[in-house]
Amino acid sequence: MTSNLRGKVAAVGIGATPFYRRGEAPYGGVALALQAIVAACEDAGLDPRDVDGFASYAGDIHDGTLLMQSLGTRELCWSSMAWGGGGGGLAAAIGAAAGAICTGQARMVIVYRAVAEREQGRFATAIMRGYLGPHYEPHGIVAPAQICAVKMQQLLHAGVSREVVRSFVLAEYHHAQNNPLARAYGHPLSTADYDSSRVVADPYRLYDCSRESDVSAAILLTSAEEAKELRHPAAFLLGVAQGGPGQVWENEVDYHSAGFKGVAQRLWRQSGLTPRDVDVAQVYESFSGAAVAAMIDHGLTTIEESGEFFKVENLIAPHGRLPVNTAGGNIAEGNAHGMGLAVEAVRQLRGESSNPVPDAKVCLLTGGPTSPLVSSALFGTAETL
Amino acid sequence: VELEAAPVFGKTESDRGSLDTPFWEGLQVGELRVQRCIRCDKWTWPPQWRCGVCGSWDLDWPAVAPEGRIFSWVRTWQAFRPEMREHVPFVTLVVELPGAGGCRLFGMLVGPEGALRIGAPVVGIIQNLEDGGAVMRWRLNETGAETRR
């Protein structure tokens, strides 16, 4: 049974600032968020004053009420924060916005995330605030890279090879070479470069880690009816789901998974689609192995078949079996805590990606493996309705 | 890393009166304590106010044998904080405690690393600190029974 959300809401505008190196943006997060939001409105051909809702995640400190005066907001109808830390709330924020629109509580909701070191300090420290403590730090666990490495170790034990994870990273760097907005643009990565890079937290090497950036990115959602009047082909929301294992402190029952199994089941049920219908995927990866686990959780492949599935040629546009992170992802494009992936999902369905997948109709977007809450969304072109 | 030289990063105790205070008090008197529901005997970690299995609000903190097996591990090479520079690389384990329903705790590995792998048996040693705190370390237990998960 499909849900009554399917096809009712669409992404009609996308906007982003450059991916600055961490600490190097000339502005703080509020200015970055405003720039991304206004860019998304201009992209849609809509007046920023008409944005009547704000949705974000991961405890973003740049809440809508701080932005209204600069945006000239006419009426605030919605604001929501998806709990759960990490990038897990990425699609959950989209789901909250969609719920507001579907139920008539708001008309135009901006989903956004802004990250700037000058206000929040180092990204990893900011997002781990409240998550670490005396059960982690005395043992030397102080950074997300280490916790994700512990999970990766279990994923290797479960039968996923290091080569699988490397292929994912190489595909992202491949895509970044065609994306002038990517931090890794002009910096191709070879297998040998990857293999000889320094180990950060074994089994993770430098290139398995996302690029901490000062950046904001945003997508503007409205109803399908309004979307049809606008200048760009809309990316319709076909399904969106959030969930979490409910255990923390490395006591998750299904530990080597990325926590998406229930989420994925609901996503397929809502959308009436199956993993085979996905033409291109934007998969959140603070660290590479998490993306592989997320794809397995969504049924795009299995642990047993992962060695064959995760070959670089299968993962790249235009003709790979399932091109992933076609702008370079958090690892090679830059990390807007995942919002860059949402922007790229919309670009793909418009045919505007720097690595277009020909005739792409369905794009999967995932948020936040290895965080207490995870979420996913499926976007489709008008043909999928 | 040898036990005496094992570094401690960050606080080794929660604020007094926290839900997990009995854990730290246990280590200070030489016991590894894990929370368990008095009514349904279900072990729980991290500690909780209420047993999510049976709904009881009565949970206690039995001492458990400091014997476990490696559930997962990480070898940290990057000094994420300046005070880590002279200590990297070091290995941190996630240890599963069969004596506490499979609850898992973090802990740094001390001693020889020869048999470091998932499933390897480990034995816990409490390191007493000069400030009165205590922290659990783990050593590979070559004579213990290995398990494959």
PDB file of all heavy atoms in Angstrom, chain A residues 234-272:
ATOM      1  N   ALA A 234       9.951  19.631 -11.222  1.00  0.00           N
ATOM      2  CA  ALA A 234       9.978  19.376  -9.778  1.00  0.00           C
ATOM      3  C   ALA A 234      10.527  17.984  -9.497  1.00  0.00           C
ATOM      4  O   ALA A 234      10.391  17.067 -10.308  1.00  0.00           O
ATOM      5  CB  ALA A 234       8.570  19.505  -9.210  1.00  0.00           C
ATOM      6  N   ALA A 235      11.124  17.847  -8.332  1.00  0.00           N
ATOM      7  CA  ALA A 235      11.528  16.529  -7.816  1.00  0.00           C
ATOM      8  C   ALA A 235      10.498  16.148  -6.759  1.00  0.00           C
ATOM      9  O   ALA A 235      10.470  16.739  -5.672  1.00  0.00           O
ATOM     10  CB  ALA A 235      12.927  16.598  -7.229  1.00  0.00           C
ATOM     11  N   PHE A 236       9.646  15.206  -7.093  1.00  0.00           N
ATOM     12  CA  PHE A 236       8.532  14.856  -6.208  1.00  0.00           C
ATOM     13  C   PHE A 236       8.986  13.875  -5.139  1.00  0.00           C
ATOM     14  O   PHE A 236       9.731  12.932  -5.416  1.00  0.00           O
ATOM     15  CB  PHE A 236       7.392  14.239  -7.025  1.00  0.00           C
ATOM     16  CG  PHE A 236       6.762  15.216  -7.981  1.00  0.00           C
ATOM     17  CD1 PHE A 236       7.235  15.333  -9.285  1.00  0.00           C
ATOM     18  CD2 PHE A 236       5.735  16.053  -7.570  1.00  0.00           C
ATOM     19  CE1 PHE A 236       6.682  16.255 -10.163  1.00  0.00           C
ATOM     20  CE2 PHE A 236       5.178  16.977  -8.442  1.00  0.00           C
ATOM     21  CZ  PHE A 236       5.652  17.077  -9.746  1.00  0.00           C
ATOM     22  N   LEU A 237       8.504  14.108  -3.924  1.00  0.00           N
ATOM     23  CA  LEU A 237       8.821  13.207  -2.817  1.00  0.00           C
ATOM     24  C   LEU A 237       7.916  11.979  -2.923  1.00  0.00           C
ATOM     25  O   LEU A 237       6.687  12.098  -2.851  1.00  0.00           O
ATOM     26  CB  LEU A 237       8.592  13.953  -1.495  1.00  0.00           C
ATOM     27  CG  LEU A 237       9.072  13.273  -0.220  1.00  0.00           C
ATOM     28  CD1 LEU A 237      10.581  13.077  -0.220  1.00  0.00           C
ATOM     29  CD2 LEU A 237       8.640  14.091   1.000  1.00  0.00           C
ATOM     30  N   LEU A 238       8.530  10.820  -3.090  1.00  0.00           N
ATOM     31  CA  LEU A 238       7.764   9.578  -3.252  1.00  0.00           C
ATOM     32  C   LEU A 238       7.630   8.809  -1.944  1.00  0.00           C
ATOM     33  O   LEU A 238       6.767   7.947  -1.801  1.00  0.00           O
ATOM     34  CB  LEU A 238       8.433   8.688  -4.299  1.00  0.00           C
ATOM     35  CG  LEU A 238       8.617   9.331  -5.683  1.00  0.00           C
ATOM     36  CD1 LEU A 238       9.350   8.362  -6.616  1.00  0.00           C
ATOM     37  CD2 LEU A 238       7.284   9.755  -6.281  1.00  0.00           C
ATOM     38  N   GLY A 239       8.526   9.120  -1.018  1.00  0.00           N
ATOM     39  CA  GLY A 239       8.474   8.457   0.287  1.00  0.00           C
ATOM     40  C   GLY A 239       9.537   9.053   1.189  1.00  0.00           C
ATOM     41  O   GLY A 239      10.543   9.576   0.697  1.00  0.00           O
ATOM     42  N   VAL A 240       9.286   9.005   2.473  1.00  0.00           N
ATOM     43  CA  VAL A 240      10.287   9.494   3.427  1.00  0.00           C
ATOM     44  C   VAL A 240      10.036   8.799   4.757  1.00  0.00           C
ATOM     45  O   VAL A 240       8.889   8.610   5.166  1.00  0.00           O
ATOM     46  CB  VAL A 240      10.234  11.037   3.552  1.00  0.00           C
ATOM     47  CG1 VAL A 240       8.874  11.543   4.019  1.00  0.00           C
ATOM     48  CG2 VAL A 240      11.332  11.559   4.458  1.00  0.00           C
ATOM     49  N   ALA A 241      11.116   8.392   5.417  1.00  0.00           N
ATOM     50  CA  ALA A 241      10.956   7.649   6.675  1.00  0.00           C
ATOM     51  C   ALA A 241      12.152   7.897   7.581  1.00  0.00           C
ATOM     52  O   ALA A 241      13.256   8.139   7.107  1.00  0.00           O
ATOM     53  CB  ALA A 241      10.807   6.154   6.389  1.00  0.00           C
ATOM     54  N   GLN A 242      11.891   7.832   8.864  1.00  0.00           N
ATOM     55  CA  GLN A 242      12.965   7.925   9.854  1.00  0.00           C
ATOM     56  C   GLN A 242      12.817   6.798  10.852  1.00  0.00           C
ATOM     57  O   GLN A 242      11.741   6.211  11.001  1.00  0.00           O
ATOM     58  CB  GLN A 242      12.928   9.274  10.564  1.00  0.00           C
ATOM     59  CG  GLN A 242      11.641   9.536  11.328  1.00  0.00           C
ATOM     60  CD  GLN A 242      11.696  10.839  12.107  1.00  0.00           C
ATOM     61  OE1 GLN A 242      12.427  10.970  13.079  1.00  0.00           O
ATOM     62  NE2 GLN A 242      10.909  11.811  11.661  1.00  0.00           N
ATOM     63  N   GLY A 243      13.910   6.514  11.547  1.00  0.00           N
ATOM     64  CA  GLY A 243      13.863   5.466  12.550  1.00  0.00           C
ATOM     65  C   GLY A 243      15.184   5.383  13.285  1.00  0.00           C
ATOM     66  O   GLY A 243      16.105   6.159  13.026  1.00  0.00           O
ATOM     67  N   GLY A 244      15.263   4.444  14.194  1.00  0.00           N
ATOM     68  CA  GLY A 244      16.501   4.272  14.945  1.00  0.00           C
ATOM     69  C   GLY A 244      16.409   3.010  15.763  1.00  0.00           C
ATOM     70  O   GLY A 244      15.316   2.557  16.084  1.00  0.00           O
ATOM     71  N   PRO A 245      17.553   2.433  16.095  1.00  0.00           N
ATOM     72  CA  PRO A 245      17.529   1.153  16.813  1.00  0.00           C
ATOM     73  C   PRO A 245      17.042   1.286  18.246  1.00  0.00           C
ATOM     74  O   PRO A 245      16.554   0.327  18.824  1.00  0.00           O
ATOM     75  CB  PRO A 245      18.992   0.696  16.760  1.00  0.00           C
ATOM     76  CG  PRO A 245      19.779   1.954  16.583  1.00  0.00           C
ATOM     77  CD  PRO A 245      18.900   2.895  15.796  1.00  0.00           C
ATOM     78  N   GLY A 246      17.208   2.470  18.842  1.00  0.00           N
ATOM     79  CA  GLY A 246      16.781   2.634  20.230  1.00  0.00           C
ATOM     80  C   GLY A 246      17.816   2.203  21.244  1.00  0.00           C
ATOM     81  O   GLY A 246      17.582   2.309  22.433  1.00  0.00           O
ATOM     82  N   GLN A 247      18.942   1.715  20.778  1.00  0.00           N
ATOM     83  CA  GLN A 247      20.040   1.441  21.707  1.00  0.00           C
ATOM     84  C   GLN A 247      21.201   2.360  21.333  1.00  0.00           C
ATOM     85  O   GLN A 247      21.347   2.722  20.173  1.00  0.00           O
ATOM     86  CB  GLN A 247      20.516  -0.021  21.620  1.00  0.00           C
ATOM     87  CG  GLN A 247      19.448  -1.049  21.916  1.00  0.00           C
ATOM     88  CD  GLN A 247      18.820  -1.611  20.659  1.00  0.00           C
ATOM     89  OE1 GLN A 247      19.413  -1.630  19.600  1.00  0.00           O
ATOM     90  NE2 GLN A 247      17.586  -2.078  20.781  1.00  0.00           N
ATOM     91  N   VAL A 248      21.980   2.717  22.339  1.00  0.00           N
ATOM     92  CA  VAL A 248      23.139   3.575  22.088  1.00  0.00           C
ATOM     93  C   VAL A 248      24.360   2.987  22.781  1.00  0.00           C
ATOM     94  O   VAL A 248      24.328   1.853  23.262  1.00  0.00           O
ATOM     95  CB  VAL A 248      22.874   5.027  22.564  1.00  0.00           C
ATOM     96  CG1 VAL A 248      21.795   5.680  21.722  1.00  0.00           C
ATOM     97  CG2 VAL A 248      22.475   5.048  24.034  1.00  0.00           C
ATOM     98  N   TRP A 249      25.439   3.750  22.794  1.00  0.00           N
ATOM     99  CA  TRP A 249      26.691   3.344  23.440  1.00  0.00           C
ATOM    100  C   TRP A 249      27.207   2.013  22.890  1.00  0.00           C
ATOM    101  O   TRP A 249      27.639   1.145  23.624  1.00  0.00           O
ATOM    102  CB  TRP A 249      26.534   3.237  24.961  1.00  0.00           C
ATOM    103  CG  TRP A 249      26.400   4.540  25.690  1.00  0.00           C
ATOM    104  CD1 TRP A 249      26.177   5.775  25.159  1.00  0.00           C
ATOM    105  CD2 TRP A 249      26.497   4.735  27.108  1.00  0.00           C
ATOM    106  NE1 TRP A 249      26.121   6.714  26.159  1.00  0.00           N
ATOM    107  CE2 TRP A 249      26.303   6.111  27.358  1.00  0.00           C
ATOM    108  CE3 TRP A 249      26.706   3.881  28.184  1.00  0.00           C
ATOM    109  CZ2 TRP A 249      26.333   6.647  28.646  1.00  0.00           C
ATOM    110  CZ3 TRP A 249      26.715   4.418  29.454  1.00  0.00           C
ATOM    111  CH2 TRP A 249      26.545   5.784  29.691  1.00  0.00           C
ATOM    112  N   GLU A 250      27.101   1.821  21.605  1.00  0.00           N
ATOM    113  CA  GLU A 250      27.611   0.608  20.931  1.00  0.00           C
ATOM    114  C   GLU A 250      26.893  -0.645  21.406  1.00  0.00           C
ATOM    115  O   GLU A 250      27.416  -1.747  21.303  1.00  0.00           O
ATOM    116  CB  GLU A 250      29.142   0.458  21.105  1.00  0.00           C
ATOM    117  CG  GLU A 250      29.931   1.760  20.943  1.00  0.00           C
ATOM    118  CD  GLU A 250      29.469   2.653  19.816  1.00  0.00           C
ATOM    119  OE1 GLU A 250      29.291   2.151  18.698  1.00  0.00           O
ATOM    120  OE2 GLU A 250      29.261   3.858  20.047  1.00  0.00           O
ATOM    121  N   ASN A 251      25.678  -0.489  21.918  1.00  0.00           N
ATOM    122  CA  ASN A 251      24.884  -1.643  22.333  1.00  0.00           C
ATOM    123  C   ASN A 251      23.740  -1.931  21.367  1.00  0.00           C
ATOM    124  O   ASN A 251      22.804  -2.652  21.709  1.00  0.00           O
ATOM    125  CB  ASN A 251      24.375  -1.444  23.762  1.00  0.00           C
ATOM    126  CG  ASN A 251      25.436  -1.839  24.785  1.00  0.00           C
ATOM    127  OD1 ASN A 251      25.426  -2.946  25.305  1.00  0.00           O
ATOM    128  ND2 ASN A 251      26.385  -0.956  25.020  1.00  0.00           N
ATOM    129  N   GLU A 252      23.819  -1.372  20.166  1.00  0.00           N
ATOM    130  CA  GLU A 252      22.805  -1.641  19.166  1.00  0.00           C
ATOM    131  C   GLU A 252      22.784  -3.140  18.854  1.00  0.00           C
ATOM    132  O   GLU A 252      23.829  -3.764  18.693  1.00  0.00           O
ATOM    133  CB  GLU A 252      23.086  -0.862  17.878  1.00  0.00           C
ATOM    134  CG  GLU A 252      22.983   0.642  18.027  1.00  0.00           C
ATOM    135  CD  GLU A 252      24.282   1.311  18.486  1.00  0.00           C
ATOM    136  OE1 GLU A 252      25.142   0.631  19.080  1.00  0.00           O
ATOM    137  OE2 GLU A 252      24.422   2.517  18.236  1.00  0.00           O
ATOM    138  N   VAL A 253      21.585  -3.690  18.772  1.00  0.00           N
ATOM    139  CA  VAL A 253      21.458  -5.134  18.563  1.00  0.00           C
ATOM    140  C   VAL A 253      22.033  -5.528  17.205  1.00  0.00           C
ATOM    141  O   VAL A 253      22.838  -6.444  17.092  1.00  0.00           O
ATOM    142  CB  VAL A 253      19.972  -5.560  18.670  1.00  0.00           C
ATOM    143  CG1 VAL A 253      19.815  -7.014  18.245  1.00  0.00           C
ATOM    144  CG2 VAL A 253      19.489  -5.360  20.104  1.00  0.00           C
ATOM    145  N   ASP A 254      21.640  -4.799  16.184  1.00  0.00           N
ATOM    146  CA  ASP A 254      22.067  -5.131  14.826  1.00  0.00           C
ATOM    147  C   ASP A 254      23.247  -4.230  14.471  1.00  0.00           C
ATOM    148  O   ASP A 254      23.155  -3.338  13.645  1.00  0.00           O
ATOM    149  CB  ASP A 254      20.880  -4.880  13.881  1.00  0.00           C
ATOM    150  CG  ASP A 254      21.060  -5.587  12.559  1.00  0.00           C
ATOM    151  OD1 ASP A 254      22.028  -6.356  12.423  1.00  0.00           O
ATOM    152  OD2 ASP A 254      20.241  -5.358  11.663  1.00  0.00           O
ATOM    153  N   TYR A 255      24.380  -4.468  15.132  1.00  0.00           N
ATOM    154  CA  TYR A 255      25.411  -3.451  15.209  1.00  0.00           C
ATOM    155  C   TYR A 255      26.062  -3.094  13.875  1.00  0.00           C
ATOM    156  O   TYR A 255      26.330  -1.933  13.604  1.00  0.00           O
ATOM    157  CB  TYR A 255      26.497  -3.894  16.197  1.00  0.00           C
ATOM    158  CG  TYR A 255      27.486  -2.794  16.486  1.00  0.00           C
ATOM    159  CD1 TYR A 255      27.130  -1.743  17.320  1.00  0.00           C
ATOM    160  CD2 TYR A 255      28.745  -2.782  15.901  1.00  0.00           C
ATOM    161  CE1 TYR A 255      28.022  -0.714  17.582  1.00  0.00           C
ATOM    162  CE2 TYR A 255      29.634  -1.757  16.159  1.00  0.00           C
ATOM    163  CZ  TYR A 255      29.264  -0.741  16.999  1.00  0.00           C
ATOM    164  OH  TYR A 255      30.130   0.277  17.243  1.00  0.00           O
ATOM    165  N   HIS A 256      26.350  -4.062  13.039  1.00  0.00           N
ATOM    166  CA  HIS A 256      27.098  -3.722  11.827  1.00  0.00           C
ATOM    167  C   HIS A 256      26.201  -3.109  10.751  1.00  0.00           C
ATOM    168  O   HIS A 256      26.683  -2.600   9.758  1.00  0.00           O
ATOM    169  CB  HIS A 256      27.875  -4.924  11.277  1.00  0.00           C
ATOM    170  CG  HIS A 256      26.986  -6.015  10.767  1.00  0.00           C
ATOM    171  ND1 HIS A 256      26.736  -7.146  11.502  1.00  0.00           N
ATOM    172  CD2 HIS A 256      26.287  -6.138   9.627  1.00  0.00           C
ATOM    173  CE1 HIS A 256      25.910  -7.916  10.816  1.00  0.00           C
ATOM    174  NE2 HIS A 256      25.629  -7.332   9.687  1.00  0.00           N
ATOM    175  N   SER A 257      24.899  -3.131  10.963  1.00  0.00           N
ATOM    176  CA  SER A 257      24.014  -2.457  10.013  1.00  0.00           C
ATOM    177  C   SER A 257      24.116  -0.958  10.243  1.00  0.00           C
ATOM    178  O   SER A 257      24.660  -0.493  11.230  1.00  0.00           O
ATOM    179  CB  SER A 257      22.570  -2.927  10.198  1.00  0.00           C
ATOM    180  OG  SER A 257      21.790  -1.949  10.832  1.00  0.00           O
ATOM    181  N   ALA A 258      23.572  -0.190   9.309  1.00  0.00           N
ATOM    182  CA  ALA A 258      23.569   1.261   9.480  1.00  0.00           C
ATOM    183  C   ALA A 258      22.280   1.727  10.143  1.00  0.00           C
ATOM    184  O   ALA A 258      22.042   2.924  10.257  1.00  0.00           O
ATOM    185  CB  ALA A 258      23.777   1.932   8.125  1.00  0.00           C
ATOM    186  N   GLY A 259      21.430   0.791  10.537  1.00  0.00           N
ATOM    187  CA  GLY A 259      20.228   1.153  11.293  1.00  0.00           C
ATOM    188  C   GLY A 259      19.008   1.483  10.457  1.00  0.00           C
ATOM    189  O   GLY A 259      18.030   2.022  10.955  1.00  0.00           O
ATOM    190  N   PHE A 260      19.044   1.133   9.158  1.00  0.00           N
ATOM    191  CA  PHE A 260      17.993   1.562   8.239  1.00  0.00           C
ATOM    192  C   PHE A 260      16.928   0.510   7.946  1.00  0.00           C
ATOM    193  O   PHE A 260      16.071   0.757   7.108  1.00  0.00           O
ATOM    194  CB  PHE A 260      18.587   1.928   6.876  1.00  0.00           C
ATOM    195  CG  PHE A 260      19.249   3.271   6.819  1.00  0.00           C
ATOM    196  CD1 PHE A 260      20.623   3.381   6.874  1.00  0.00           C
ATOM    197  CD2 PHE A 260      18.499   4.423   6.667  1.00  0.00           C
ATOM    198  CE1 PHE A 260      21.245   4.617   6.776  1.00  0.00           C
ATOM    199  CE2 PHE A 260      19.110   5.661   6.573  1.00  0.00           C
ATOM    200  CZ  PHE A 260      20.485   5.757   6.632  1.00  0.00           C
ATOM    201  N   LYS A 261      17.020  -0.658   8.550  1.00  0.00           N
ATOM    202  CA  LYS A 261      16.173  -1.734   8.014  1.00  0.00           C
ATOM    203  C   LYS A 261      14.687  -1.409   8.072  1.00  0.00           C
ATOM    204  O   LYS A 261      13.996  -1.539   7.069  1.00  0.00           O
ATOM    205  CB  LYS A 261      16.523  -3.059   8.674  1.00  0.00           C
ATOM    206  CG  LYS A 261      17.806  -3.592   8.028  1.00  0.00           C
ATOM    207  CD  LYS A 261      18.353  -4.853   8.605  1.00  0.00           C
ATOM    208  CE  LYS A 261      19.701  -5.150   7.923  1.00  0.00           C
ATOM    209  NZ  LYS A 261      20.510  -6.097   8.679  1.00  0.00           N
ATOM    210  N   GLY A 262      14.219  -0.955   9.211  1.00  0.00           N
ATOM    211  CA  GLY A 262      12.805  -0.575   9.309  1.00  0.00           C
ATOM    212  C   GLY A 262      12.489   0.633   8.448  1.00  0.00           C
ATOM    213  O   GLY A 262      11.423   0.715   7.815  1.00  0.00           O
ATOM    214  N   VAL A 263      13.424   1.564   8.404  1.00  0.00           N
ATOM    215  CA  VAL A 263      13.248   2.780   7.592  1.00  0.00           C
ATOM    216  C   VAL A 263      13.086   2.392   6.121  1.00  0.00           C
ATOM    217  O   VAL A 263      12.181   2.872   5.427  1.00  0.00           O
ATOM    218  CB  VAL A 263      14.464   3.717   7.767  1.00  0.00           C
ATOM    219  CG1 VAL A 263      14.422   4.864   6.776  1.00  0.00           C
ATOM    220  CG2 VAL A 263      14.518   4.245   9.192  1.00  0.00           C
ATOM    221  N   ALA A 264      13.952   1.523   5.656  1.00  0.00           N
ATOM    222  CA  ALA A 264      13.919   1.138   4.247  1.00  0.00           C
ATOM    223  C   ALA A 264      12.606   0.423   3.911  1.00  0.00           C
ATOM    224  O   ALA A 264      11.990   0.702   2.876  1.00  0.00           O
ATOM    225  CB  ALA A 264      15.117   0.243   3.926  1.00  0.00           C
ATOM    226  N   GLN A 265      12.177  -0.459   4.815  1.00  0.00           N
ATOM    227  CA  GLN A 265      10.906  -1.158   4.555  1.00  0.00           C
ATOM    228  C   GLN A 265       9.764  -0.175   4.387  1.00  0.00           C
ATOM    229  O   GLN A 265       8.946  -0.303   3.471  1.00  0.00           O
ATOM    230  CB  GLN A 265      10.573  -2.094   5.726  1.00  0.00           C
ATOM    231  CG  GLN A 265      11.373  -3.373   5.727  1.00  0.00           C
ATOM    232  CD  GLN A 265      11.126  -4.181   6.991  1.00  0.00           C
ATOM    233  OE1 GLN A 265      10.271  -3.841   7.808  1.00  0.00           O
ATOM    234  NE2 GLN A 265      11.894  -5.236   7.151  1.00  0.00           N
ATOM    235  N   ARG A 266       9.713   0.823   5.256  1.00  0.00           N
ATOM    236  CA  ARG A 266       8.626   1.805   5.162  1.00  0.00           C
ATOM    237  C   ARG A 266       8.769   2.672   3.920  1.00  0.00           C
ATOM    238  O   ARG A 266       7.778   3.061   3.307  1.00  0.00           O
ATOM    239  CB  ARG A 266       8.595   2.668   6.433  1.00  0.00           C
ATOM    240  CG  ARG A 266       7.923   1.945   7.593  1.00  0.00           C
ATOM    241  CD  ARG A 266       7.881   2.807   8.834  1.00  0.00           C
ATOM    242  NE  ARG A 266       9.110   2.683   9.599  1.00  0.00           N
ATOM    243  CZ  ARG A 266       9.796   3.701  10.103  1.00  0.00           C
ATOM    244  NH1 ARG A 266       9.403   4.937   9.910  1.00  0.00           N
ATOM    245  NH2 ARG A 266      10.888   3.493  10.797  1.00  0.00           N
ATOM    246  N   LEU A 267      10.002   2.941   3.551  1.00  0.00           N
ATOM    247  CA  LEU A 267      10.245   3.770   2.362  1.00  0.00           C
ATOM    248  C   LEU A 267       9.742   3.064   1.098  1.00  0.00           C
ATOM    249  O   LEU A 267       9.073   3.673   0.258  1.00  0.00           O
ATOM    250  CB  LEU A 267      11.746   4.037   2.257  1.00  0.00           C
ATOM    251  CG  LEU A 267      12.195   5.113   1.289  1.00  0.00           C
ATOM    252  CD1 LEU A 267      11.775   6.480   1.805  1.00  0.00           C
ATOM    253  CD2 LEU A 267      13.715   5.063   1.129  1.00  0.00           C
ATOM    254  N   TRP A 268      10.054   1.794   0.984  1.00  0.00           N
ATOM    255  CA  TRP A 268       9.593   1.045  -0.199  1.00  0.00           C
ATOM    256  C   TRP A 268       8.078   0.914  -0.195  1.00  0.00           C
ATOM    257  O   TRP A 268       7.427   1.016  -1.230  1.00  0.00           O
ATOM    258  CB  TRP A 268      10.256  -0.341  -0.260  1.00  0.00           C
ATOM    259  CG  TRP A 268      11.753  -0.316  -0.283  1.00  0.00           C
ATOM    260  CD1 TRP A 268      12.595  -1.000   0.543  1.00  0.00           C
ATOM    261  CD2 TRP A 268      12.599   0.443  -1.166  1.00  0.00           C
ATOM    262  NE1 TRP A 268      13.903  -0.716   0.251  1.00  0.00           N
ATOM    263  CE2 TRP A 268      13.937   0.157  -0.794  1.00  0.00           C
ATOM    264  CE3 TRP A 268      12.378   1.329  -2.214  1.00  0.00           C
ATOM    265  CZ2 TRP A 268      15.030   0.730  -1.439  1.00  0.00           C
ATOM    266  CZ3 TRP A 268      13.459   1.904  -2.853  1.00  0.00           C
ATOM    267  CH2 TRP A 268      14.766   1.600  -2.472  1.00  0.00           C
ATOM    268  N   ARG A 269       7.518   0.695   1.004  1.00  0.00           N
ATOM    269  CA  ARG A 269       6.072   0.536   1.089  1.00  0.00           C
ATOM    270  C   ARG A 269       5.361   1.842   0.719  1.00  0.00           C
ATOM    271  O   ARG A 269       4.397   1.844  -0.049  1.00  0.00           O
ATOM    272  CB  ARG A 269       5.703   0.113   2.517  1.00  0.00           C
ATOM    273  CG  ARG A 269       4.353  -0.553   2.646  1.00  0.00           C
ATOM    274  CD  ARG A 269       4.259  -1.323   3.950  1.00  0.00           C
ATOM    275  NE  ARG A 269       4.467  -0.468   5.093  1.00  0.00           N
ATOM    276  CZ  ARG A 269       5.195  -0.800   6.165  1.00  0.00           C
ATOM    277  NH1 ARG A 269       5.798  -1.957   6.233  1.00  0.00           N
ATOM    278  NH2 ARG A 269       5.320   0.032   7.181  1.00  0.00           N
ATOM    279  N   GLN A 270       5.846   2.948   1.253  1.00  0.00           N
ATOM    280  CA  GLN A 270       5.218   4.240   0.952  1.00  0.00           C
ATOM    281  C   GLN A 270       5.258   4.564  -0.525  1.00  0.00           C
ATOM    282  O   GLN A 270       4.311   5.093  -1.099  1.00  0.00           O
ATOM    283  CB  GLN A 270       5.971   5.370   1.659  1.00  0.00           C
ATOM    284  CG  GLN A 270       5.680   5.544   3.108  1.00  0.00           C
ATOM    285  CD  GLN A 270       6.519   6.696   3.668  1.00  0.00           C
ATOM    286  OE1 GLN A 270       6.954   7.574   2.945  1.00  0.00           O
ATOM    287  NE2 GLN A 270       6.737   6.672   4.953  1.00  0.00           N
ATOM    288  N   SER A 271       6.413   4.294  -1.114  1.00  0.00           N
ATOM    289  CA  SER A 271       6.640   4.743  -2.491  1.00  0.00           C
ATOM    290  C   SER A 271       6.101   3.753  -3.506  1.00  0.00           C
ATOM    291  O   SER A 271       5.928   4.095  -4.678  1.00  0.00           O
ATOM    292  CB  SER A 271       8.136   4.929  -2.720  1.00  0.00           C
ATOM    293  OG  SER A 271       8.805   3.690  -2.555  1.00  0.00           O
ATOM    294  N   GLY A 272       5.854   2.516  -3.063  1.00  0.00           N
ATOM    295  CA  GLY A 272       5.457   1.484  -4.016  1.00  0.00           C
ATOM    296  C   GLY A 272       6.605   1.070  -4.930  1.00  0.00           C
ATOM    297  O   GLY A 272       6.384   0.440  -5.971  1.00  0.00           O
TER     298      GLY A 272
END
